[in-house]
Every structure is written in C-alpha cells, then in structure tokens.
Amino acid sequence: MLETIWFLLWGVLWAVYFMLDGYDLGLGSVMPFLAKSEKDKKTIYNSMGPFWDGNEVWLVTAGGVTFAAFPKAYAVMFSGLYTALMLLLMALILRGVAFEFRGLVESDWSRKFWDGAMVVGSALPGLLLGVAFANIFQGIPINAEGVFQGGLLTLLNPYGLAGGVLFVLLFAIHGCLWLAVRTTGDLNARAGNLAAAIWPFLVAVYAAFLALTGLYTKLLSNYLTNPILLLILLIPIFAIVMVRTYISTQKWWLAWTCSAALIFSTTMFGIIGLFPALLPSSINPAFSITIHNAASSQLTLKIMLTVALTMVPLVIAYQFWMHKIFATKITDEDIGY
C-alpha cells in the first residue's frame, strides 16, 4: 500500500514540476520570437524572475523522492540516463547563470551571449525531459542486473523524439500564456498570437503522440483493464480545447490554468499507465524496475510519508502565496535585468 501511495506521489511531484517550471522554460525558449527590443527582453526576464528558482524546487523534490522511496530506480535511472541527465543539469545551470549575469553586463555582445544561453538553457531541458519520459513510458533496455544496454543515441528513437517535441510545444504555449498574463500592449498581443499559432501544431503532435503511445508502449493496458480510467483522458482533451477557446477571448489566466491542467493530466496519464513499473525493461518485462523490487523499507516509507504530509502543504501554500503576490502586470518600474 505504501509503495502505491509513493508511486502516485512520485508521479504528482513530476507533474507539478512540469506544470510550474514548464512556463518559464517555455518562455525562455520562445524569447527570440517575442522580444523586439531591449525593453521586451527585460520584461520577459522579469516575468520569470521571481518564480523560476522556486519552480525548480519541485525538480529537486521529485529527484529526492525517487532516491529515498525507490533507491534502486534512482540508481538505474541515473546510471542509464547519465549523459542525458548531465546535459539537463548543465542546461539548467547555464540558464540560472544567465538570469544572474544578464543584468550585470553592459555591452551588447555580452547581453546577446546570455540571451542565447537563456534560449538554449530553456529549450534543451524541455526536449530532454520529453525524450527521457517517453523512453521510460516505452521501456528502456536494462538487463537483469539493472544495467542500461545502450547510449544516448538509443534514447533518440521515434517515440522518444516525439515525446521531446511534445514537451517543447507544451512548454512553449504555456510560456506564451504566462507572458500574456503578466504584460499589456504589443508584447501581450505578440504572446497571445504566438500561443494561437503554436496551438494547431500542439494538437497535431499530441494526437500523433497518443497514436504512437498505442503502438510503442503498453501504457494502455492498465486503462483497458480498468476502462473507468479512460475518463482521465477526457481531462487533457477538454483542457487543450479550452486553451484555444480562452486564447480567442483573451482570458489569459483561464487559458494558462487550462494549459497547466493539460500538462499535469498528460503526465499523470503516462504515470498511471506505467503502474506498477517505474522503469520498464524493453529487453524482458521480468527485468523491469517496479515499486515492488525498488521500494525502501516500510519504516522509511512511513517516516517519509509523515514528513511529506507535513511539508508539502507548506510548500504548496508558499508557491500559491508567491504567485499571488508577484504574478501581477509588469510596469516600467518593475523592469530590471
């Protein structure tokens, strides 16, 4: 029972991370399409500034839970996906440095360098996370000892790349809507227009990804065994339609909320389909890392659950308060960087 609870919490933590950090990663990746002036660039940085590092706390939490609740899965994941995870880490470091250094330099070439670092450091994590999770959904080549039988190129298969493109588009439209929430005038119009332009591509890739999921993975097995679970699929379908509806009516907070629901429900669709496996083996299902052979002791899971039930609501409350205080329209007085 505790293993199942922690499996769901593990999935929820990753889904919350994608939902929150997704908008600032997406906004950083589409900045060249939105910023026409130095003031526009500073406004975009400021729209993410108070939130990005707080959002990344959920990445640390999700990684920490993987380590503490399912240490065997953590070991296999971080050894098998080592190169991809190191690239992800380096991109996030580059992005964090860009936030800090961009406002300290005065020459144009220095600002352009850090703007480029921001774009690369934002787009690459979205792509890598999508590729990584699509491969986990599909199954990765691990043997009986849990050793990954492949390399970085092994992950760049059609389904993995489709997952990467899907994440990039999900984050891009999420970021555009966040900028629309926080701005007025021309920049607000450009953000809304770009979100509307991305939407049909997102729908096409989303449909293709679902079709490929049926072809390349066994995620649908749990849903076919328990057809009531298919109702979960209605959430992302409804959300993606409402995103476009609210873009048309320029109700930016509602559009962003639906986009967040789309990311969260899409992630949970994959996580529920994965159960009880954490890392399915594409070589032999018997080699898979599951909640049964990877979980920590019952005592550890009990202690962790007590801590989580105490601390996670506090973190959620803090995140809610922070967004309520700082997620207002940006004025000229707010602009830094």
Side-chain angles (χ1 to χ4, degrees):
M1 184 63 180
L2 282 173
E3 293 90 342
T4 302
I5 292 172
W6 272 108
F7 176 84
L8 291 174
L9 283 174
W10 173 77
V12 166
L13 289 172
W14 280 109
V16 171
Y17 169 65
F18 296 148
M19 183 179 73
L20 289 178
D21 210 25
Y23 72 76
D24 56 67
L25 290 173
L27 185 51
S29 64
V30 298
M31 187 170 65
F33 303 102
L34 294 170
K36 304 297 182 187
S37 65
E38 178 63 19
K39 181 181 177 182
D40 288 346
K41 291 178 182 175
K42 288 184 175 182
T43 303
I44 290 173
Y45 276 92
N46 274 271
S47 70
M48 303 180 279
F51 309 104
W52 69 273
D53 47 358
N55 292 340
E56 289 186 358
V57 167
W58 292 95
L59 173 63
V60 177
T61 307
V65 163
T66 310
F67 170 75
F70 305 107
K72 185 176 180 181
Y74 180 90
V76 174
M77 180 188 297
F78 277 76
S79 59
L81 307 180
Y82 184 79
T83 305
L85 291 172
M86 283 304 296
L87 286 172
L88 171 65
L89 182 61
M90 295 306 295
L92 291 176
I93 290 173
L94 183 66
R95 185 166 176 271
V97 176
F99 269 112
E100 299 299 328
F101 278 32
R102 208 267 181 189
L104 301 178
V105 297
E106 295 183 355
S107 62
D108 287 342
W109 73 266
S110 296
R111 287 177 178 167
K112 287 179 180 176
F113 174 81
W114 290 117
D115 288 341
M118 172 58 67
V119 174
V120 173
S122 298
L124 191 58
L127 180 67
L128 290 170
L129 288 166
V131 169
F133 269 79
N135 274 280
I136 290 172
F137 293 159
Q138 177 181 234
I140 57 177
I142 49 177
N143 62 18
E145 287 73 39
V147 178
F148 183 68
Q149 305 295 303
L152 181 62
L153 294 179
T154 307
L155 304 176
L156 302 180
N157 51 72
Y159 187 68
L161 291 172
V165 174
L166 177 63
F167 267 50
V168 168
L169 290 175
L170 282 169
F171 290 176
I173 198 168
H174 204 37
C176 289
L177 293 173
W178 180 253
L179 186 63
V181 164
R182 299 218 59 203
T183 56
T184 57
D186 291 342
L187 193 54
N188 172 279
R190 283 199 293 274
N193 290 338
L194 185 56
I198 292 172
W199 188 83
F201 294 101
L202 174 61
V203 172
V205 171
Y206 202 98
F209 186 77
L210 283 180
L212 290 172
T213 296
L215 190 64
Y216 283 96
T217 78
K218 297 180 180 176
L219 291 187
L220 295 179
S221 298
N222 283 345
Y223 292 90
L224 296 177
T225 304
N226 302 283
I228 189 74
L229 292 176
L230 287 170
L231 292 174
I232 294 173
L233 258 182
L234 295 178
I235 300 174
I237 293 171
F238 177 74
I240 203 168
V241 171
M242 294 311 295
V243 165
R244 187 65 184 87
T245 302
Y246 287 127
I247 289 174
S248 300
T249 54
Q250 299 187 1
K251 294 179 178 177
W252 304 122
W253 263 118
L254 289 173
W256 183 87
T257 301
C258 288
S259 175
L262 172 62
I263 293 172
F264 186 89
S265 57
T266 299
T267 307
M268 291 310 296
F269 167 75
I271 296 295
I272 291 170
L274 205 57
F275 182 83
L278 290 155
L279 298 172
S281 170
S282 60
I283 297 175
N284 185 334
F287 301 158
S288 298
I289 308 299
T290 71
I291 62 171
H292 304 299
N293 61 22
S296 294
S297 68
Q298 292 292 301
L299 178 61
T300 301
L301 295 179
K302 283 181 184 176
I303 293 172
M304 286 176 54
L305 188 59
T306 303
V307 174
L309 291 176
T310 305
M311 298 304 297
V312 171
L314 293 176
V315 176
I316 292 173
Y318 168 73
Q319 288 268 334
F320 180 80
W321 173 83
M322 184 177 67
H323 281 77
K324 181 176 172 53
I325 295 296
F326 293 107
T328 55
K329 294 289 185 184
I330 298 173
T331 65
D332 289 346
E333 289 74 26
D334 298 324
I335 294 177
Y337 294 95

